[in-house]
Every structure is written in C-alpha cells, then in structure tokens.
Amino acid sequence: MTTPTALIPAQAAARLDDYTVIDVRTPGEYASGHLPGAHNIPLDHLHTALPVLKAAAARGALLMVCASGNRSTTACTELAAADIPATTLTGGTTAWAGEGHTLHRPDNASAAWPMERQVRLTAGSLVVLGLAAGTRWRPARWLSAAIGTGLIFSAATNTCGMAAALAKLPHNQPRTTELDATLRALQN
C-alpha cells in the first residue's frame, strides 16, 4: 500500500501539467468550478474507475481534488489500498481559488450548490421541522436532537453521513454518459 501525499495550492499550480487531476466532488459541484484540466469522478464512483486510474497513475502522477480536501484525502486512501499512488490538494478548490488560481466552469453547465451548503440547508431544515412538530407532538423534538448529535459526530470524526446521503440524490449524480466519457478520456 502506498502512502498518500499532499500539496498546497502553490505547489500544485507550479506543477499542474505534471498531474492527471481527478475531481471527486459531485457533478454539480464540479460544474460550479474546477481546476484546469480536471476530470470528474465522484467519490462514490471511484471504485468503478480503479482500473482506469491505475493505468493513468502508471503514466503519470494523480492529483485528487475536492472542495476542502476531505473527500480527496478519502479518495487517496482508497486508491492507496488498491496500490495506486495519488496526491491530494490540501484545502481543495476552496484554497485553490482563495490563492487566486483559476477555476474553469463549463459554459452550458448548471451549477448545483456545494455539498457543504446542501448539508447546512438539510440539517437546518430538519432541526426547524423537529422543533416545530415538537410543539404539537413532543417526541418530534428528538429529530432535532438526532441532527445535532450527527453534526457533533461529523465534526469530531471529520466525516459526514448526511453529505454521503445527499451525494446519492439525482442532481448530485453523474450521467452514465459523462462518467463513461471521463473514463475513456483517462484511458488515452
């Protein structure tokens, strides 16, 4: 098993042409802005792409990217388990753009909200729903308590079950043709 490495945005920008960049965010997040030349393979579809990524890694280094660096680190760990070396971008596209580097946006793509924003909307809505319903039916308040507990667990473990669930919604899924086209492009 190989050990994942990390680059800060300035290091990645200086050597971007040396990497095959893989963005593991949802298609909507990818459409909202991605590193130049990045290919979109959502994290929950990474297992499908392992053979193609292994071949791409044999030709050159892989740079895994997400919004903050959490999902790309998870991707690097999954790739390392399959003996595929990969590097993660520390701070993700947020840090990349924050340092003034360019993000590419397709002209015809509709941008979905970033996953963090989707999680905040869903968690907040469920808390308010639990509190409102709790005024009529007291056990409904447990919904708010469960969401709060989940957020604490998420912060403590640096994971997010709600994001994993939201990533499975149709607007966060790649079209089969898009994923197939990405995999074909990586084979060349």
Side-chain angles (χ1 to χ4, degrees):
M1 184 159 96
T2 58
T3 304
T5 58
L7 293 177
I8 61 172
Q11 293 170 318
R15 299 181 39 213
L16 194 59
D17 292 338
D18 297 341
Y19 288 97
T20 299
V21 182
I22 308 296
D23 192 318
V24 296
R25 297 176 299 159
T26 66
E29 290 175 294
Y30 173 82
S32 70
H34 54 271
L35 271 68
H39 301 277
N40 184 222
I41 301 176
L43 183 59
D44 57 345
H45 292 275
L46 198 63
H47 63 280
T48 303
L50 286 178
V52 172
L53 291 173
K54 190 169 193 99
R59 293 189 304 271
L62 298 179
L63 178 64
M64 309 307 285
V65 179
C66 68
S68 66
N70 291 336
R71 286 178 277 178
S72 59
T73 299
T74 300
C76 284
T77 302
E78 187 174 329
L79 292 173
D83 283 332
I84 302 171
T87 301
T88 185
L89 178 64
T90 302
T93 56
T94 303
W96 177 270
E99 288 189 13
H101 301 292
T102 303
L103 289 175
H104 288 197
R105 291 174 178 84
D107 294 331
N108 60 350
S110 60
W113 284 0
M115 187 56 65
E116 179 185 349
R117 187 173 180 191
Q118 292 180 47
V119 167
R120 289 192 318 250
L121 174 69
T122 304
S125 298
L126 289 173
V127 167
V128 169
L129 176 67
L131 291 174
T135 62
R136 294 259 189 210
W137 187 57
R138 290 184 60 82
R141 294 181 305 160
W142 285 105
L143 174 62
S144 299
I147 296 300
T149 302
L151 291 171
I152 292 168
F153 178 80
S154 176
T157 61
N158 201 24
T159 62
C160 188
M162 188 177 289
L166 290 172
K168 301 210 180 297
L169 292 176
H171 69 276
N172 285 325
Q173 290 295 307
R175 292 186 199 102
T176 303
T177 55
E178 290 172 357
L179 186 58
D180 290 343
T182 299
L183 296 177
R184 277 192 307 277
L186 285 170
Q187 289 175 338
N188 298 329

